[in-house]
Amino acid sequence: DSGVTQTPKHLITATGQRVTLRCSPRSGDLSVYWYQQSLDQGLQFLIQYYNGEERAKGNILERFSAQQFPDLHSELNLSSLELGDSALYFCASSVAGGMDEQFFGPGTRLTVL
Amino acid sequence: ILNVEQSPQSLHVQEGDSTSFTCSFPSSNFYALHWYRWETAKSPEALFVMTLNGDEKKKGRISATLNTKEGYSYLYIKGSQPEDSATYLCASKAGDFGNEKLTFGTGTRLTIIP
């Protein structure tokens, strides 16, 4: 158990809908990262937040947004969902966000029908 | 090298044998190289983070080396055990200052044959 929690574990929804994935980092970690793993693809970095501020951005679609709240938990919002958004979404956290190792949560499996 | 590449894609090793695999990464704007172990139905687990050219790290029977000038890292497993079966991911942290990103390779899937 890494200490990073993600909810929900599974999510099934329809195209065009909007969902919110939630992540609570390990106690004391200030950075939160979001990753997407689609079928036959490696982990793709989406976005990083550090102490409430956006720190780095990867290939995150405009339909996706994220935020980190004062209590350091983070949410990833996915809107106008398409079939291709079906994937495993991981959240990870690290102490500061520089060269630290990242601790991964169990992931949220999103299925868009 | 434009992307993070790992080889081989998969590997079958007899229990007790030693093995190694490679991670190649772009050497420009490089900050750190991460190795993760990912078991089926679990989440990736950090093994090492290395930053300096020539770095060597060790954890039990697993060790790793880093060459930042030529852009590669090796992961070694000595005396493989069935519990070593997993996918081993490397990731390079690189980019412009203030926008560094972790880019993952697609992994080496290791199967230990009892």
Side-chain angles (χ1 to χ4, degrees), chain B residues 2-108:
Chain B
L2 295 177
N3 295 312
V4 178
E5 296 171 1
Q6 292 188 246
S7 63
Q9 274 192 329
S10 66
L11 195 51
H12 289 75
V13 173
Q14 205 68 39
E15 182 177 352
D17 287 352
S18 298
T19 188
S20 64
F21 21 95
T22 308
C23 171
S24 302
F25 54 90
S27 49
S28 60
N29 290 352
F30 170 84
Y31 290 95
L33 194 283
H34 295 228
W35 279 100
Y36 289 86
R37 182 170 176 275
W38 194 357
E39 288 181 75
T40 304
K42 294 189 177 179
S43 45
E45 176 193 343
L47 288 173
F48 306 113
V49 180
M50 297 180 288
T51 56
L52 299 175
N53 187 45
D55 258 356
E56 290 187 26
K57 294 270 177 105
K58 188 174 178 183
K59 190 183 280 192
R61 295 179 291 98
I62 304 178
S63 60
T65 61
L66 179 65
N67 182 320
T68 60
K69 293 183 179 176
E70 294 178 45
Y72 65 84
S73 174
Y74 293 128
L75 189 83
Y76 302 91
I77 301 178
K78 193 175 173 183
S80 304
Q81 299 297 307
E83 59 266 29
D84 296 329
S85 294
T87 295
Y88 290 83
L89 297 173
C90 73
S92 167
K93 188 150 199 175
D96 295 330
F97 180 74
N99 195 36
E100 307 93 3
K101 301 164 200 177
L102 201 60
T103 302
F104 281 83
T106 50
T108 292

